[in-house]
Every structure is written in structure tokens, then in C-alpha cells.
Amino acid sequence: MAGHFRRKIASKLFQSFSQSGLLPKSQETNSIEKLASLVKVKKISKHHTLESGQFLVNSQHLNNFLKDDSDPNHKLAEQVKDCLFQDTSFKELGITFNGKFFNFTFDPTNITEVILSSVYKEGSKYGFTSHLHQTNDQTEKQTVVIEYSSPNIAKPFHVGHLRSTIIGNFFSNLYEQLGYNVIRLNYLGDWGTQFGLLAAGYHQYGCETKLLADPLHHLFEVYVKVNKDAAQEIDTKRVEEPQSLYNRSREIFQKMEKGEETSLDLWKRFRDLSIKEYQKIYKRLGISFTEIHSESMYSESANQLLQHLRHTGLLQINEEEGRTEFIEIPDRNRNSKVTMCKSDGTTLYLTRDVAAALHRKKEYNFNKIHYVVDNRQNRHFQNLQAVLKTIGEDWATSLESDFHIGFGRIIGMNTRKGKVIFLKDLLDEAQQQMLSKRKETSSSKHVADEMAVADTLGISSILVQDLKERRNFDYTFSWKKCLNFKADSGVFLQYAHARLCSLKQNCAIPLTHSVDAALLKDPAALRLVLHISRYDEVILNSFLSFEPFHVVQYLFQLAHLSNQSLHSLVVKGQVQDVAQARLLLFHSAQQILSSGLRLIGVQPLQSM
Ligand code: ARG
């Protein structure tokens, strides 16, 4: 793997710096590892031609690494350059400097040989085992809790939940591949006054047959109607009447919080039926969870927490707001009062989240926790973090900004049925669109299970469109882009992957890793090899910046490069040695494409 070359450069740098006295005391331990992480493979554009394998080190990064705090005025840049250029062993590596980067050049045959045989041997582990990922020397497996998806029962699964599901699944896969113990958690919204309202609405508008046939749509129908009624009540100032919807639903929810069986029965049915529907969709998306928790699980512990906080004096009464209770956040000037209990004594979304966080810490004793939730809840998660600290949870002080992994909105995601997204409708539509597009496209093969292939393609397209930009950006959903077979879409990646698989199946050449790498001298081959060797860097970038798009953009380029090479580097009909070398190259590209697709949550297709 590229690690081999990074390490080689890093140990030479280390030797050179130690001998010339440039290495400060503070950098003596793990230096080679740290230096290796500064070595990058030269990124190549689609049309760039390279004669040899090139690795770069940013000189500013080197200076930062060598900076000696006891001697701040030290003029490092020149010295580093002198040191490296005087060291004759670097001449062998081929070193140049362009004012910003040190550039190390390797013999392409050597690189090709090392990289292709590592991909062959490491298979699906390639890219994840690199020393680049061993950021610390912990020997014990670290645990990370990732909460994602978390839809609400009885309100539609909106695009925020879709993005949370896709992004959360990506990070769970990534952490798992990097050797963490990952708790994938789904936290259903199944509690709160709105459930009182829904129950009241169901008494009026509910229909058993419809509920059983299609629970999500029917509950939503009731939800819309009853919310309309509630809004009318406000307009006509009937809210205060004892039998108003508002009062009835509050009463129902209060009873639910007290655990009254009859009020809970209906809620339980809504909940069970909705969960069953969600499970079907998760299965279709290939997404699973370690645990399904829900807000209602924390109704009791949230009440106990409030009791405890009253005892310790942390909870204060806000006389102005009808006796709600709040916690004061000490280090805030504005918005320092965070409400924890409503005036009628019921808990809030935040209260339940605090109780849930305490439970998670106790249950999993995690090293890290992430909440993958839409940016609209930024404030909520700032409050959650602040309350945890204020009530004396020490672990919460070390939480970083990645506690909440937010993301932007999707604009214009509609299905033919309307503006409100039911995930099932969206997936059905994607599948239908793929079916008809495939009929029009001559290159599509006829496959046995056309429906299943169309479904996978539809899902791939939605996933890729979602992950291909920075997560904080809003993006406009476009069927046209989703369905683009030629560039930068999920179908495009699947198509490139299937082409590679079909080459492997049909070339009638046995795959072996002992090939003559000197036969892969063509610039197209070298470009592909070098791109493959960047995989571990890209994974690390995604991991450190919490940005899936690095991986997706990398895969687009991999697909372009491999499509180009498939044109110029024919396998069939070549002399055996050449054919085998090329086949190993394409096998590696297919392995990485497949690994990257699985990482982003897409099931790679063998043929399409
Ligand atoms: N169910 C919530 C919603 O749809 C999202 C839950 C986010 N997670 C949390 N721990 N608060 O708005």
C-alpha cells in the first residue's frame, strides 16, 4: 500500500532531521508515524499524465512539525531545505522543491508492484489498516455511539431523517471499518404533547382498516386533519374552553406520562405499527441498528432527573413563564435559562434527551458519541451539551463540536404524490424511473431480476446525490442528476463497477498477484495505480473532517480513470503476461470501487 512509501520517506526524513539536530525534543516519540501522515500521494486530474509515482510533503507542515517552542525565532524553512538537499540518500529517492512542496519521485514499476499486490492481499481491508489511521496508541477497542435516522412516529419521515439515515450509516460503516466498536442507535420520536393530539384526532378521524393497511399514511392523514382543527381553535379563540382539543390532548398526554394504561394502549398500537413499517424500509435500504430506543423510554427517568435537580437546587422556577422550570447555564450571557419542565409538570424533548444521554453513558461507557441530526437542531444540541456539563457530567466537558453532526436541507424533493415525503414513495419512484431509463439505454443488459436491480440503482442514486457535497450545504434534489448514467451519480459508479466485474468474468485469464509490473508502464495505468494508492488518505480525510464527500468524489474519479483505462488497456487477446498485469490492475480498481460503495452504504452490482 501507499503506506510503504510514506514510511520509507518518513524514516529518511526522521534520520536526516535527527542527524542535523533539527528534531526538537518534544517530537522524539512517534515521529515516524507523525511524519508519515504528512506524506501525501500526488493528486492527479483526469487528464494529467505522470511519468512516475510522486509523493508530496507540504513544507509548511514540516516546519510546524519541527517548530521548537523554546526557540520561536528559529528560521526553519531554509534549514529544512538545506538539510534535505545535502542528504545524499534523498537523491536516490529523487527530491525536488517548488517553494511549497517537497516532491519525492519513485520508480513507477516498484510502486505499481507494491500497491497492486497489497490490494490483492488485503482485499476489503485495503485502505483501512494503514498506519495513518492509528492516530493513538490505545490498545483497547474504543466504543462510539452514533445516533441516526430517529424519525417520529406518526409524522412523516422527512428529508431531514433521510439525510440523517444516510450520513449516520456512512459514519457507522467508517468507524466499524476502522476497528471501533460501534453502537448504531435509532431514537424514535414517540413522546410529547403531539401524541395527545394524535390520540384525540384518532377518536374523531381514525379508521381501523386504513390504519392496518397503511399505518404511516393514515396516521399522517389524521395528524394533518387534527392539526388543522387545532389551528382553527386558536384562530377562533376557543383554546381556553375546557373541552378544546388543546385541553383534551394535554390531558391525554399527562395521563400517558403518569402511565395510565388506557391512554397508552392506542399510542402503543401507533408505535408498533409504525416501527414495523420503518423496519421494512431500513431493510430495503440495507441499513441496520444495534438498538432502537425511543423518547418514551425516558419519560420516567426524565421525571426522576427533574426531581433530583430540584433537590440539588439546580432547577429554578420561572415565575414569568407560568412556572416553568429551568437550568441556568453559568458561562452564557444570552439564552442562559434552559427550560427543562413545562408549567403543567410534563417533560420536554430536551429533558428526555438529557436522561437518554445519561443512560447511554451508563450503558455503553462510550469514548465518543455523535448525534446525526439536521442543522435546525443546532441550538437544541448546544443546550444538551451545556446542560450535561452544568449538571456535573464530567465526560461531557471533553465532548467536541462533532458531538452534533449536522447537515443542510434538501430543496425540492417531491414525489408525484406530493410535497410530503414518505420514504417508501421516494424509493418506489426512484425504482420506477430507473426501470424506464434502463429500457431506453442500449448499454443496459437484461438481468434476471430487473426490479431488484432497478431498486438498488434507485437507492444508489439517492445516496450518492446526498453524499457528494459538503454535508452542511443545502442541495437541490434533481431526478435528472440522479439518473445520469454518464457522470458523477450513483448509477455511474455502479456502471463502472459492473463493467470491471464483467471484464473479470469474461476475459478467461486467471487472476494472479505475481505479475510483471513493468508491463504496466502506460500513463493510464500509472494514473490509476496512484489514484488507488490515495484511498487511505481519502478515508482519513473523511474521518477527520466528518465529510463523506471526500470518499464520493474520490470514487467518481476512480470510475472515470478506470473507464478510460478500460478503453486503452485491452485485456482480451493480449499475450498472457500483459493480459495478467492489466487484469490485476482492473481487479484492484474493482476492489476499491466496491469497498468505497459499501462504505457509503451502496450495495455494489456485479452486472446491470
Ligand atoms: N425525532 C427527532 C425529530 O425528528 C430527531 C431526534 C434527534 N435526536 C435526539 N437525540 N434528539 O426531530
Side-chain angles (χ1 to χ4, degrees), residues 15 29 39 54 99 131 139 163 258 285 325 342 352 369 381 383 391 418 436 441 443 455-456 478 555 568 584 588:
Q15 249 174 22
T29 49
V39 182
Q54 297 186 345
H131 65 279
T139 41
R163 296 209 71 189
K258 287 194 188 117
L285 286 169
E325 289 167 279
K342 288 198 193 172
R352 296 187 284 276
I369 182 164
F381 286 101
N383 284 341
I391 65 175
S436 44
T441 313
S443 53
D455 199 37
T456 306
S478 142
L555 293 177
S568 55
L584 181 65
S588 308

Side-chain angles (χ1 to χ4, degrees), residues 455-506:
D455 199 37
T456 306
L457 288 177
I459 293 171
S460 317
S461 301
I462 292 173
L463 258 54
V464 167
Q465 169 147 250
D466 197 275
L467 296 174
K468 73 178 189 181
E469 306 286 353
R470 283 180 190 279
R471 65 183 156 78
N472 273 320
F473 288 2
D474 295 344
Y475 73 87
T476 305
F477 184 83
S478 142
W479 282 115
K480 199 168 154 221
K481 282 194 197 148
C482 261
L483 297 165
N484 189 343
F485 278 45
K486 298 223 168 71
D488 302 359
S489 68
V491 217
F492 168 70
L493 292 179
Q494 288 280 20
Y495 188 57
H497 180 260
R499 274 182 83 185
L500 291 165
C501 290
S502 123
L503 170 90
K504 279 169 68 178
Q505 269 162 17
N506 302 326

Side-chain angles (χ1 to χ4, degrees), residues 148-196:
Y148 61 103
S149 198
S150 307
N152 299 317
I153 305 297
K155 272 202 237 163
F157 195 100
H158 61 69
V159 289
H161 301 124
L162 175 65
R163 296 209 71 189
S164 166
T165 311
I166 296 174
I167 298 172
N169 185 48
F170 171 84
F171 286 115
S172 305
N173 293 344
L174 181 56
Y175 270 105
E176 249 158 37
Q177 289 283 10
L178 292 177
Y180 286 74
N181 175 31
V182 180
I183 311 290
R184 298 165 174 259
L185 202 75
N186 193 348
Y187 180 66
L188 302 175
D190 65 348
W191 208 243
T193 340
Q194 72 270 27
F195 285 93

Side-chain angles (χ1 to χ4, degrees), residues 362-429:
K362 206 162 137 208
E363 186 79 14
Y364 308 114
N365 192 24
F366 52 75
N367 303 87
K368 278 171 124 187
I369 182 164
H370 300 297
Y371 292 81
V372 186
V373 184
D374 173 340
N375 279 339
R376 280 178 298 187
Q377 298 201 24
N378 281 348
R379 161 110 295 167
H380 171 77
F381 286 101
Q382 282 160 9
N383 284 341
L384 176 57
Q385 212 168 342
V387 168
L388 287 168
K389 283 185 203 168
T390 310
I391 65 175
E393 292 297 310
D394 289 341
W395 56 271
T397 14
S398 63
L399 293 173
E400 292 174 33
S401 58
D402 55 30
F403 172 72
H404 171 213
I405 301 184
F407 48 81
R409 295 173 307 147
I410 312 182
I411 300 156
M413 187 186 256
N414 302 333
T415 66
R416 273 175 287 215
K417 289 192 182 159
K419 280 206 182 278
V420 175
I421 297 292
F422 285 87
L423 192 52
K424 181 176 177 305
D425 297 339
L426 183 77
L427 300 184
D428 288 349
E429 183 142 343

